[in-house]
Amino acid sequence: MTFYWVNQGRTYTDAVSIEALWAPERQIDKNGRESRPEHWRLMDDLKPGDVVFNYSKAGLMGYCRVLAAAVDESWPYSRPSSYKPEQGGKLVAVTYQSAPAPITRSILLANEMLKKALRTGVTPSLVERSGENLNQIYLCRLDDHTLPNLLFAALGLSAQFSDTSTPSKSKDAETTQKRLVDARLGQGDYRADLVKLWDGECALTGLSLLPLLIASHIKPWKCSSNSERLDAHNGLLLAAGVDRAFDRYLLTFESDGSIRTKLPPHELSLIGIPSLGGELPKLRALHAEREHYLRHHRRVYEAAIERSVATTIT
């Protein structure tokens, strides 16, 4: 088990709501040059069972336990951001444990032992040379073995778990958490349910090569309740190109399964949606339970189109 610290700033509440950590994969300067800072690269090092202390604008909030290794994921939050899709991103599923009250930076750094350990025992460097402020980084590893106990003591939380344990939960809660993690990653029972529901074929094109099919949510994870996240009717099994376009609201589906999109036919063909005799394929196996989720997707699609038109006009 390895211990880390994450600076989440204003995204802390968003991250808690989707039970995840997220960071861009790379930064791109104005000349198009790419780089990957160490504090983002560390997302790849997180392993199940690792502990990450959570710091936000309010202070040290608590900690989270890592449930699964990092997966590729674009900006997962609903709040506006300067993030660009070409930056990529890494998402790590976690479970959060909050402290009774946040511990402010001034209180943390008033403890000389803790302050020294945070200055010298963290990679990359967390505390500025002045010793009064924190560096603007995302994730760092706690190399000083005294730090975890000092931080748990400051939070007033118990550190009673073994290297192989997960946060204390009932068996039913653990099972539900595992299903949620699998559903978030498009794996496990959730993917199996969608493969069965769609007869192992893309819901739109009929492609049957399973390695190229994505188990995708219609109503996004960040907007869904736990029951909606696990509901197979909130899912589509889609070919990778179709899934990406659907996820980015470049297309949506009407109640009769027909495609609504601003993409020209040749672009649709390039992402795997053929036009046969001038007709586009329709979504198969429509159910009333799925229409509820499709309505939500159409509303977001319409809002995205309106924003695009407004941007073009201005």
Side-chain angles (χ1 to χ4, degrees):
M1 175 169 45
T2 306
F3 292 87
Y4 296 83
W5 173 293
V6 64
N7 289 321
Q8 291 169 287
R10 288 174 293 180
T11 64
Y12 173 74
T13 54
D14 299 315
V16 171
S17 71
I18 65 170
E19 296 187 298
L21 299 173
W22 182 87
E25 188 168 8
R26 65 189 70 87
Q27 60 186 16
I28 304 173
D29 67 18
K30 61 182 180 181
N31 296 315
R33 290 189 294 264
E34 297 183 0
S35 61
R36 193 178 190 195
E38 178 68 5
H39 63 102
W40 288 348
R41 190 210 61 76
L42 281 172
M43 291 286 284
D44 287 335
D45 292 350
L46 293 173
K47 296 178 176 60
D50 286 348
V51 175
V52 185
F53 290 95
N54 307 107
Y55 186 87
S56 81
K57 292 289 185 181
L60 190 63
M61 308 301 291
Y63 69 92
C64 59
R65 297 294 304 277
V66 175
L67 298 173
V71 296
D72 295 333
E73 183 71 53
S74 58
W75 175 257
Y77 309 128
S78 57
R79 70 168 62 240
S81 167
S82 60
Y83 168 82
K84 298 178 180 178
E86 54 266 30
Q87 290 181 261
K90 293 290 183 178
L91 181 141
V92 173
V94 299
T95 184
Y96 283 84
Q97 175 66 55
S98 298
I103 309 300
T104 64
R105 183 189 71 243
S106 59
I107 291 176
L108 285 171
L109 298 183
N111 182 320
E112 288 300 323
M113 184 180 297
L114 183 53
K115 180 178 178 178
K116 180 181 179 181
L118 286 172
R119 286 188 64 188
T120 61
V122 178
T123 306
S125 179
L126 176 62
V127 179
E128 292 181 354
R129 289 183 179 180
S130 66
E132 302 304 321
N133 295 299
L134 302 182
N135 287 318
Q136 296 299 305
I137 60 175
Y138 184 67
L139 186 65
C140 53
R141 186 181 62 248
L142 306 185
D143 299 321
D144 187 320
H145 298 306
T146 67
L147 267 172
N149 285 335
L150 289 171
L151 291 171
F152 279 123
L155 290 166
L157 295 174
S158 170
Q160 298 302 312
F161 42 74
S162 67
D163 283 6
T164 58
S165 71
T166 55
S168 178
K169 293 183 177 184
S170 69
K171 277 295 181 184
D172 286 346
E174 288 180 0
T175 300
T176 299
Q177 183 65 60
K178 176 63 167 59
R179 290 180 64 205
L180 284 167
V181 171
D182 285 346
R184 183 69 182 91
L185 305 181
Q187 299 172 356
D189 290 343
Y190 185 76
R191 177 177 173 82
D193 288 345
L194 290 189
V195 169
K196 182 178 179 181
L197 192 63
W198 297 100
D199 297 323
E201 298 179 350
C202 172
L204 181 68
T205 68
L207 179 71
S208 59
L209 292 173
L210 285 177
L212 300 182
L213 300 180
I214 309 297
S216 180
H217 283 84
I218 301 171
K219 184 178 181 181
W221 179 271
K222 62 192 173 190
C223 302
S224 299
S225 65
N226 280 348
S227 61
E228 289 174 329
R229 291 168 176 175
L230 296 175
D231 185 1
H233 290 294
N234 186 22
L236 295 173
L237 192 66
L238 296 173
V242 183
D243 170 74
R244 199 67 169 170
F246 183 75
D247 187 58
R248 297 294 179 84
Y249 298 100
L250 296 175
L251 61 83
T252 191
F253 297 106
E254 303 289 8
S255 56
D256 66 352
S258 59
I259 298 172
R260 190 200 306 182
T261 183
K262 294 291 186 180
L263 296 176
H266 74 277
E267 294 285 3
L268 292 173
S269 178
L270 289 172
I271 63 172
I273 304 177
S275 175
L276 303 175
E279 294 290 328
L280 293 173
K282 288 186 175 184
L283 199 64
R284 300 179 291 113
L286 296 172
H287 295 285
E289 297 93 334
R290 188 170 297 114
E291 174 58 19
H292 160 72
Y293 297 113
L294 287 173
R295 278 199 302 270
H296 180 277
H297 193 273
R298 286 195 293 271
R299 286 196 298 270
V300 180
Y301 170 86
E302 290 161 0
I305 293 296
E306 289 177 5
R307 286 196 300 272
S308 176
V309 170
T311 301
T312 301
I313 293 173
T314 57

